[in-house]
Amino acid sequence: MPKKKLIEFIGRIQDGGAETLVKDYALLLDKDLFDVTVMCLDYKKSSNVYKTLIENNVKIECLYDPMQLVCRALARILGPKFPASLLKNKMEELNPDVVHVHLELLNLVYLARTSFEEVKLLFTCHNPPEMLIGDKRPLERDACKYLLKNNNLQIIALHEEMAKEINELHGIDNTAVIRNAVDFNKFRNISKAKEEIRKEIGIPVDAYVVGNVGRFAYQKNQEFLVNVFKDVLKKKDNAYLLLVGRGSLEEDLKKQIKDLGIEDKVMMLTNRTDVPELFKAMDVFVFPSRFEGLGIVLIEAQVSGLPCVTSDQIPWEAYQSNQITRLSLDESKDKWADAIINPVCNIDHYGNIEDYDMNKEIKNLEALYLQD
């Protein structure tokens, strides 16, 4: 059987949950079955995801190459029809059999819809459906409806409850479920000791390390965690906060940390390729997001064996161990600080983390790609 020409299409190659998933797909899909290309509008060369794809010789096609800044400016001036024209050209050049779309790109696909008539088209809903393909994003919603009707779009949900919501939202009954899984080997086979990792990044060996990994963005709510950490220090003076990521709110967070006078207790690390090792350096993982489709980094933290303190905005399907403390964002900073210092499981049901092994779940995705 000839290989299927497959495109994983995402807006920007950077460090984020959906982007990491696309990277893992590109690395782990069966190369005897699929000729994989990652397509994007643009990319950050400094990101871990981009570096890893390049290091592993994954093909990358960027619509905005070779002049990303100019193309982004033209897209702002001319609107989405400009990138849609670039997408049409790229589709003609690559002639794929399968295109798997991620995040907010369905309207772009709709504008280039004549290029997708002979393509198997899939879309993964990485955030709550109402926020991604519902009334809060009318262009994406309407594009989704059109592509479902005219291009046999196959929607993929991250869990069963999301699938039910999508089916109800769009009047369908065939939403597939593919978990945002994790390559367990990366997070469980860390040869370095915790003490060695801490020394390398400049955190005292005997510190109590509070960790967070994610984009510095409104959704991820790190400013809340920084405020809570000020209270943690009042109760545990050997605590350190480790923030791993980058994003539009990076400078705001640095200013907040400075204004609180806790610069010597907070470490911000960007563009890291060693996130599994950094998990091992932590004592507790805190995930105070305002909303999540699932929260793949929370799965990674649980695979790493960390106790996790999360907001109550995290879907229940993300809870796959008995090490979860779930709190409302309306609870006091003092209560959050206590939970971080002494995390105690306060949920009465959770799944099986072994269900999130990427090496198993990738086979379900491959079957979906091959389905007629």
Side-chain angles (χ1 to χ4, degrees), residues 156-169:
I156 298 172
L158 307 184
H159 48 78
E160 293 292 346
E161 284 303 312
M162 180 185 281
K164 291 177 184 177
E165 186 178 344
I166 292 170
N167 285 341
E168 183 175 339
L169 191 62

Side-chain angles (χ1 to χ4, degrees), residues 233-263:
L233 284 172
K234 294 175 183 176
K235 301 167 182 279
K236 199 171 186 67
D237 60 10
N238 71 329
Y240 275 74
L241 176 60
L242 179 58
L243 300 175
V244 183
R246 68 178 308 166
S248 59
L249 297 183
E250 184 175 339
E251 294 305 315
D252 291 342
L253 285 170
K254 287 179 179 177
K255 183 179 185 304
Q256 180 188 5
I257 290 163
K258 183 178 180 180
D259 289 346
L260 290 173
I262 56 175
E263 304 103 305

Side-chain angles (χ1 to χ4, degrees), residues 176-245:
V177 175
I178 301 290
R179 296 180 181 90
N180 272 15
V182 172
D183 186 354
F184 281 21
N185 295 328
K186 292 181 180 178
F187 293 89
R188 289 183 170 173
N189 299 322
I190 308 298
S191 58
K192 290 182 181 178
K194 175 183 288 190
E195 294 77 11
E196 182 182 356
I197 299 168
R198 289 184 175 186
K199 286 178 180 178
E200 288 179 354
I201 61 178
I203 291 179
V205 170
D206 62 349
Y208 184 77
V209 181
V210 180
N212 172 272
V213 178
R215 285 179 297 111
F216 300 145
Y218 172 83
Q219 175 186 352
K220 304 301 181 180
N221 205 17
Q222 284 97 347
E223 72 274 15
F224 176 86
L225 174 55
V226 170
N227 280 328
V228 167
F229 183 69
K230 176 76 172 181
D231 280 40
V232 170
L233 284 172
K234 294 175 183 176
K235 301 167 182 279
K236 199 171 186 67
D237 60 10
N238 71 329
Y240 275 74
L241 176 60
L242 179 58
L243 300 175
V244 183

Side-chain angles (χ1 to χ4, degrees), residues 86-152:
L86 300 178
L87 177 57
K88 285 182 180 180
N89 293 339
K90 192 63 71 174
M91 287 290 293
E92 183 177 342
E93 174 190 335
L94 299 177
N95 191 28
D97 300 300
V98 182
V99 177
H100 187 173
V101 182
H102 303 264
L103 297 174
E104 302 91 345
L105 291 171
L106 287 182
N107 185 52
L108 197 59
V109 172
Y110 166 76
L111 293 173
R113 58 192 176 276
T114 55
S115 301
F116 289 82
E117 291 174 350
E118 304 299 324
V119 172
K120 183 175 179 62
L121 184 62
L122 305 96
F123 165 72
T124 290
C125 187
H126 289 278
N127 278 322
E130 183 62 30
M131 302 185 68
L132 202 56
I133 49 174
D135 291 343
K136 292 188 177 181
R137 284 188 179 268
L139 290 178
E140 294 291 312
R141 175 202 63 203
D142 294 347
C144 185
K145 289 184 181 298
Y146 178 92
L147 295 169
L148 282 166
K149 182 178 180 181
N150 297 283
N151 294 73
N152 296 316

